[in-house]
Structures are given as structure tokens and as C-alpha cells.
Amino acid sequence: MVDLAAAGSAVALLAGSLDAWLWVVPGLLIGLVFGAMPGISVSMAMALVLPATLYMEFLPAIIFLTSVYTGAGFGGSVPAVLMNIPGTSSAVATTFDGYPMARAGKHNEALGLALVSSCLGVLGSYIVLFFLVQPIAELVLRIGPFEMAAIAIWGMVLLGSLGGKSLSRGLFAAGIGVLLGTVGMNTAGYLRGTANIPELLDGIPTIPAMVGLLAASQLFGLVNTHFLVEAEEDRQISLSRIVAGGMMTFKHPRTLVRGSMIGALVGAAPGVGSSISNLLSYAEARRASKDRDSFGKGNPEGVIASESANSSSEGGSMATMLALGIPGGGATAILLAAFAMHNVVGGPRFMDQNRDIVYAIILSNFAQAVLLLFVGTAFVYCASSIVRLPLRFLIPCVLVMATMGSFAMEGSIAGPMTLFVFSVLGWLMSSAGYPVAAVVVGLLLGRLIETELLRAWQLAGGDIGEVLNHPWALVIIALMVLSLGFSMWQDSRRRRVEDITAG
Amino acid sequence: MTVRCTSISRRSVIAAAAGTALAAPLPLRAATYPERPLTILVPFATGGYNDRYARAIAPFVQKHFGQPVVVQNRPGGGTMLGNMFYLQQPDDGYMVMVHSAGPFIPLSVLTRNAQYKVEDFWMINLPSRDATLVACATSKPFTSIGDVITQLKRDPRSVSVGIQPASADLVNLALLMQGHGIDRSRMRVVTYDGGGPARTATMGGHVDIGLVGGEGFLPVKDRIRPLLVFSNEKNEDFPEAPLSTDHAKASGFAPEYVDGSQRGFVVSRRFRDRAPDRYQIMFQAIERATKDPECVAALKAQQLATTWYGAEASNEAYLRSASLMEKYVDLLKQA
């Protein structure tokens, strides 16, 4: 499966090109900084540096762009942990446990965890890519509407009761999210709930809505607090604690591997991959854990699950881009545009004829994952100094940043307006005891489920029996039922044991 | 926000409808024009054909225009947000669009209740024409369009079709089915919001056949089988694909079709009418840039179109396809 001759010449290609290395660290740094700014997505960061690559050779240009990709992929988790702002939709699940950890004074550990899981996720996914680029691409291509709908339903079922003490409130919040997610034109071309506002044609702008729900609503709740971390002795920025946090990752190898697998496979699905893979991985980690109640309150496993999945999505989407020429998302679309700028057409023929270049890109990403560990450590060390900033300065700064970011994201006032509306909604809901995270999950997954189910229905021509022709969808649903049943059985047994010991 | 938007665009619509009669003489003299940078507005996200075309030709437009040229993306609402934004700009000749004018402008008017008219836009040159391609994955049993039609005639439910709703492709599908007397409402039509997803579904075999712009299939040419191209001239990318006009004549129905995409430089008709001097300067800069041998070589290398059709032919093509879409508007609405 590995073309050794091509791999050899890839090594030679990399070793002989100083240019190819020169751009890795600047690329990572640019990615980290832009990725950490709320409102600048991975693809925007890449689009910003795209013009510069026109003047580079092909290989250095692509390596530079993938460095930005890798850096920005992790950069998004820094504000997720420190400020509860998911920089991108792929860092949503990181906020669930990362932010509670930061509030409890474990910001060093949380960032260390996120960094190491991200590096391992990137590394893992590219190792898989190195050996299996073609099979992965083929597998992803097979994920049709039935299979995708099954995966999304799995995520929705697992996350339905997210973070809620009361199931009914969780379901209500998720329902609101699903309803809001249906605004706009659906995949069959029907307009719904746009109230004649042209900005809503493509649906509610997701990222400003998410930032509003998760971050801004949180910040209002912090008004009477002086610092993000209450206890003064916890407010330190410590390299050793970042490293210790990083080491903690290795205590949960199963979560890490599971997250990376989900990321590489689901994350590779064109269009929606990385924003669902982190949620799914988080939900699975929560389901598999013995200590389910601690999720959402600062369980390190939650951070590992989310970060390993969102970073391994990079390798997955690179597989479909390299082997099939399909851009799975904004980032790979920009990579393909960079290919085109250098007069290279991505796709199967490029793969066949330039195996050495493909391997060089993959090998360089191994190096990027390792370098990210160091550049990232320095970066989070600096970034975590915001815990020392009094909240009376921090909150306005974050709000201004979020507003500017949402403007940049949408390119119009529609972004800040969405942010404002959803901040108020988020604040009202959280002060009434509804889990806002469930609204976000509904918003993200609801639209996906609807789109895929609609296509499945169209494909079946209204015949429910058609699902029998899609065994993999059935396998996914069966796995879901089995794993849920198993957890419930385990729960009831544990409760019985507890009852006996207590009694 | 909304109120402001609609009122302005409505005003601009009225102004445009009233034509030059209403337009007071503007202080727009060509003597000093151009004295500021020119913005190319692309109503799509980065990375697509229009974006690539705009960025590739920008340096040459700059050379002939004599001022810096910047590219700005304003995606959303099936180009409606970009179109509205463009019509709200002053007619000072410092902004031009690079657009898939056909089919996106007529489609936004016909299916999204856009507050402007097809005639509000004026084509400078539409070099890129992308035809709808009927294709199937190589794993599918069809070897010709005849196979597909035979099976559809036997049972319209037996073939699933991947397509974008409210698209030129859908009009072409409707024309083809109408010609063969196949009941489209009984067919299994699967809708995708974008050419990319529709192509992936075709290639991955999620649907039996797909109708989508052919150009995007180029990188994955080996994985699909082109069955029919909606055009009256041989497609350079898929020379082996039979033409819809030949197919229609052979099957005995009218050889009508709409162009999948007509892309290139677009301004507002209002700008052309109100500031003819400036329009001439801009027009000439774009014409010279398009014909510049250096530009032709650079664009060819990136697989971008370089033909100069000029305003007359481009507007004619644009309006022809718009009126065809209007004629089949009912087909567009029942996706």
C-alpha cells in the first residue's frame, strides 16, 4: 500500500528543499494566532495567506498552507478553553469540559491536554493517511445520505440530554436548536422562516450564533466575578502544569484512539465532517465513561475526545482532497485553489503521477504535528496569561473581539446582529436553567439530520423498505442501540451494587 | 437592516426601470477616472471558479486599467446577497462583478423573490460557459443516455437522479424528460445544495445518474461516464459525450437547452447608462486584459476561459438563457 520508491523520493524532495521547511513554523504561528481569534476560521486564515503562496514553488506553498491548517485547527481550542468561545464549529465540544477546567483553575492542564491530543490526532490521522490514503477516500465516498443520517442521529441521541440535570429541559433546548437550524433554504430549495430577510437565506449564521449562545451568555453571568479563576493561588501560568496536563492525555489512550478514528473517518465526510466528528467523539467518550456525570464539569477526557477528533479530521479531509479532488470543506477548497494557481489539478490523476509529492506533503505533516507541540506550548503559555486579567477588562475585550469576529465572518452587520440576538437568548436560557450547549448541538446537527434524511427519503422514493438496501446505515444504527443498551445495563447494575453496599 | 435593504434595492429597481430619463446628470466626468482602486466583487466564497478567475485576471486588468485591482468575496443566498450589495453601490465605476450571471441572477429572481430584475445587470464579457453534463459512476450499468431513457420509460422510479434544486440543470432535466414523455413527478430526484455535493453523490454512486456542470468533473474524469452534454457544440473537456441537440433531433423533440453557467465580468445596466464614459474606459481595460497574450497564457495554464465574446454576444446569451428559464419557471419551482 505504501509505494516505497515514491516515499524515498519524497524524503529526498523534502531533504533537498530548504524552502519547504522554512515556512512550517511561520505557517503554524499564523494559523495559531488567526485560529485563536474568535471569528477567523481555519479557511479564512488560509485564504488570507493564499495570495502569498502564488510566489512560492508548489511544494513549499502547499506545505505552508497545510501548516496554517494544522496551526489554526488547534488555535481554535485556545479561546474554547479560556473563554468558552469555540473559534470554529469544530471546537464546540472542547468548550464543554475545557472551559469548566479553566474556571476551576486547571487552565494550564486543559490547554496542555488539548495541545497534546491535537498533535497526536494530527499525527495519527496522517499516519493512517500515509498507509491508507486510497482506501479511506473510497470509504468516505461510500458514505451516502442513509449512512450520514444514521451517524448524525447517533450524535443527536447521545447528546440529547447534554449537560442537563433535567432531561425535559435538555430536550426542549435541543428542540429549539433543531427548529432554529431549519431556518433558510433547505436542500430541496424550499424557503422557511426567513421572514423576508435575505441574510437568512442560507440559514442562521452558525458561528456568530454559537459564540453568542456559549460565550456571551456566559460572560453576562460572570459580571459579579473578579477573575476567570476565582482562587488567586490557581491563577498561575506554569509550563510544568501545561506539560503535566499534556502527559495526562496518555492516561486515556482509548478516548484518544476512538477520537482519532472518528475524526479521520467522519471528519473526512465532505461538507460537514469536522463539525460533527468532535461532537460524536465527545458523546461516545461520555457514553463509554464510568463517570458520566462529571462530563460537562471539567472532565479531561471530554477535552481529549473533542480535540483528538477535530484535529484528526484534517488528515481525513486531506485524503478525500488528494485522492479524489473533492474539497470536503473551506480549508481543502483553498488548498485545491492553491493547486490550481500552480497549474496543478488535484484528484486521482495527480495522485497517480505525483506520488512523491503527495508523500512529501504527508511526511511534512508528521513534522508539523511534532513542531506544533513546541510552537503550541509557547503559544498557550502566552495565551493563558489572560486568566490574570481582571474580568472587568477581559469581558469587554472579548465582547468587542466577538463582535468584530462575527462581522468578519459574515462580511456584514448580519453577523453582529445574530451574535446579539443569540447572546440574549443564551443568557435568558442559562439563567432559567436550560443547557445552552444543547441548543448549539441542535443547531449544528439538526440541519444535518434534516438534509440527509430528506435526501434518503428522495432516494427511497418514499419507500421505507429502501433502507434495507443500505446495510451500513443499519449497522450504524444497530451499533448505536447496542452501545446505548450496554451502557444502560451497566448503569443499572452499578446502581444495584451501590444499593447493596449502601443498604 | 432589512427595511433599509429592501427599500434601497426597490428604489434602484424603480430607477433602473425608469431608465435614464429619471437619472439626473451626475458629476461623473471621465477626465479624472480612474483615480481609485477597482474592486472586483465575487458573490461566491474563495476557491471556486469565479474567485479563481477574478484573482487570475486581476493583475492584467490592473495593468490596462491603470489602478490597483482588489478582489472581494461576498457569498450567500445563491449570489443574492452579493447582487443586492452591488446594486447598492454608487455608479462611479470602481466596482465590477465576476459572476456566474447565468443562471444565478435569473434564478434568484425566479425562485428567491429577489428585489431586482434580470435586466438590471449588464454583461461585459462572459468567457466561461459550463454545460450541464449527465454522468454516472463507472460502477453503474449505463453506457449511454439511451440506456437511461429506456429504463426510465419502463419505470420512472427505477433511476435516481442527483441534481441541484432551482438550477439550470433542473431545467435541462425537465426538457429532456418532457421530450421523452417521462413523468418527472414519479421520478426519484435527489436534491443537493451545491455542485460539489451533487458531483460527489454521482461519483460515489449514491445516485444512479447526476446532472451537474461538467467542468467540476475534470479532476475525477476517470471515475465517471459522461452520457450527455447539454450543448449544441462539442465539449472540449468531454469530447466523447453526445450533444443534447443531436439527441433531441434524433428522438424527435425540440433541441432546447440552457447553459449550465455563464461566467465573466458583469456591471449594472444603470452604471452603463448613467456613466457611459467611465463604462467605456472600464470596458476597454477588461477587453485589453482579456486579449493580452500574457493574460491568455496565464489563464490557460490555470484552466480558465479566455475567449472574448464582447458585450453584445454575452448579453444576448445571458438574456436567452434567462428567458428560457422564465419559460420553464414552473418546472423550477416543483423540485
Side-chain angles (χ1 to χ4, degrees), chain B residues 33 38-41 83 86-87 90-99 101 105 117-126 264-273 275 278-283 286 311 315 318:
Chain B
Y33 176 83
L38 175 73
T39 302
I40 300 183
L41 183 76
N83 297 341
Y86 184 73
L87 289 177
D91 298 317
D92 55 5
Y94 289 109
M95 196 182 274
V96 58
M97 287 181 111
V98 164
H99 201 322
I105 296 175
K117 288 189 300 185
V118 168
E119 294 79 19
D120 288 347
F121 293 88
W122 178 258
M123 310 296 121
I124 289 184
N125 185 39
L126 298 176
F265 282 96
V266 179
V267 290
S268 70
R269 187 179 283 262
R270 201 183 55 199
F271 163 62
R272 190 206 62 165
D273 291 345
R278 291 187 179 211
Y279 169 74
Q280 264 317 311
I281 292 171
M282 183 195 274
F283 181 88
I286 293 171
N315 280 293
Y318 163 73

Side-chain angles (χ1 to χ4, degrees), chain A residues 238-331:
Chain A
S238 145
L239 194 60
S240 65
R241 285 178 66 184
I242 294 176
V243 175
M247 297 307 284
M248 256 154 72
T249 315
F250 297 100
K251 287 190 197 151
H252 305 283
R254 281 177 56 186
T255 311
L256 188 71
V257 171
R258 192 193 302 119
S260 305
M261 297 276 288
I262 291 177
L265 276 179
V266 179
V272 286
S274 63
S275 50
I276 168 169
S277 67
N278 72 105
L279 289 171
L280 198 63
S281 162
Y282 179 86
E284 261 302 297
R286 180 166 172 269
R287 186 199 56 77
S289 164
K290 288 201 183 74
D291 188 13
R292 215 166 300 153
D293 291 340
S294 68
F295 274 81
K297 292 174 192 142
N299 188 324
E301 269 193 79
V303 179
I304 299 175
S306 168
E307 281 302 305
S308 57
N310 71 19
S311 55
S312 58
S313 305
E314 180 186 333
S317 54
M318 286 291 281
T320 48
M321 190 209 89
L322 288 171
L324 306 171
I326 300 175

Side-chain angles (χ1 to χ4, degrees), chain A residues 47 50-51 54 134 138 140-145 185-191 195-199 201-202 270 323-326 333-334 337 340-341 343-349 411-414 417 451 454-455 458-463 466, chain B residues 1-2 4-6 46-48 51-52 55 74-78 80-81 84 111-113 157 160-161 163-166 187-193 196-197 200 203-208 218-223 300-303 333-335:
Chain A
L50 184 66
L54 197 56
Q134 202 68 46
E138 298 295 333
V140 165
L141 200 55
R142 293 271 166 84
I143 305 182
M185 188 172 269
N186 78 351
T187 184
Y190 291 93
L191 275 177
N196 273 329
I197 302 173
E199 279 76 8
L201 277 175
D202 296 328
L324 306 171
I326 300 175
I334 287 173
M341 279 182 170
N343 190 17
V344 176
V345 179
R349 226 170 281 169
S412 77
I413 198 72
M417 284 174 70
T451 304
L454 179 61
R455 282 184 198 147
Q458 290 172 330
L459 204 54
D463 176 12
E466 172 71 15
Chain B
M1 172 71 196
T2 337
R4 194 172 58 87
C5 265
T6 33
T46 43
D51 182 59
R52 280 174 44 216
R55 286 176 203 277
R74 195 166 268 270
M80 196 167 135
L81 299 185
M84 285 170 58
T111 65
R112 291 177 191 229
N113 312 319
R157 281 175 50 85
S160 59
V161 186
I163 204 162
Q164 295 178 74
M187 283 169 61
R188 286 188 292 146
V189 176
V190 186
T191 47
Y192 290 88
D193 30 13
T200 307
M203 208 168 105
H206 307 165
V207 288
D208 294 326
L218 270 185
V220 289
K221 220 174 163 181
D222 308 339
R223 298 185 143 259
K300 278 237 165 85
Q302 298 189 32
Q303 288 100 30
K333 280 181 176 162
Q334 40 167 296

Side-chain angles (χ1 to χ4, degrees), chain A residues 225-503:
Chain A
T225 331
H226 295 294
F227 285 93
L228 203 61
V229 177
E230 304 260 17
E232 206 187 333
E233 65 275 14
D234 283 338
R235 234 174 276 149
Q236 50 173 297
I237 301 149
S238 145
L239 194 60
S240 65
R241 285 178 66 184
I242 294 176
V243 175
M247 297 307 284
M248 256 154 72
T249 315
F250 297 100
K251 287 190 197 151
H252 305 283
R254 281 177 56 186
T255 311
L256 188 71
V257 171
R258 192 193 302 119
S260 305
M261 297 276 288
I262 291 177
L265 276 179
V266 179
V272 286
S274 63
S275 50
I276 168 169
S277 67
N278 72 105
L279 289 171
L280 198 63
S281 162
Y282 179 86
E284 261 302 297
R286 180 166 172 269
R287 186 199 56 77
S289 164
K290 288 201 183 74
D291 188 13
R292 215 166 300 153
D293 291 340
S294 68
F295 274 81
K297 292 174 192 142
N299 188 324
E301 269 193 79
V303 179
I304 299 175
S306 168
E307 281 302 305
S308 57
N310 71 19
S311 55
S312 58
S313 305
E314 180 186 333
S317 54
M318 286 291 281
T320 48
M321 190 209 89
L322 288 171
L324 306 171
I326 300 175
T332 37
I334 287 173
L335 273 173
L336 273 182
F339 272 47
M341 279 182 170
H342 286 89
N343 190 17
V344 176
V345 179
R349 226 170 281 169
F350 169 73
M351 254 296 277
D352 287 343
Q353 290 162 6
N354 302 286
R355 231 157 233 282
D356 50 342
I357 294 182
V358 171
Y359 280 135
I361 294 171
I362 296 175
L363 287 175
S364 156
N365 270 283
F366 289 175
Q368 285 170 24
V370 177
L371 282 169
L372 175 66
L373 197 60
F374 298 100
V375 180
T377 307
F379 182 75
V380 296
Y381 185 78
C382 302
S384 60
S385 58
I386 67 159
V387 296
R388 293 209 178 152
L389 203 65
L391 281 180
R392 65 174 187 278
F393 298 127
L394 185 63
I395 293 178
C397 290
V398 171
L399 285 176
V400 169
M401 286 255 291
T403 312
M404 274 167 39
S406 59
F407 183 81
M409 210 82 198
E410 293 302 310
S412 77
I413 198 72
M417 284 174 70
T418 314
L419 178 79
F420 177 74
V421 169
F422 279 84
S423 308
V424 174
L425 180 72
W427 177 70
L428 283 175
M429 288 188 75
S430 60
S431 55
Y434 288 92
V436 280
V439 185
V440 175
V441 171
L443 196 63
L444 288 175
L445 293 187
R447 192 166 185 98
L448 178 64
I449 294 179
E450 192 221 341
T451 304
E452 299 296 343
L453 274 183
L454 179 61
R455 282 184 198 147
W457 183 254
Q458 290 172 330
L459 204 54
D463 176 12
I464 296 176
E466 172 71 15
V467 72
L468 295 174
N469 295 332
H470 298 267
W472 285 107
L474 292 175
V475 168
I476 294 168
I477 296 282
L479 273 176
M480 174 185 87
V481 172
L482 278 177
S483 65
L484 274 178
F486 182 67
S487 317
M488 273 155 76
W489 175 72
Q490 260 188 334
D491 268 5
S492 69
R493 220 178 55 157
R494 201 179 310 140
R495 221 170 294 134
R496 216 176 304 145
V497 172
E498 274 166 19
D499 284 350
I500 293 167
T501 43

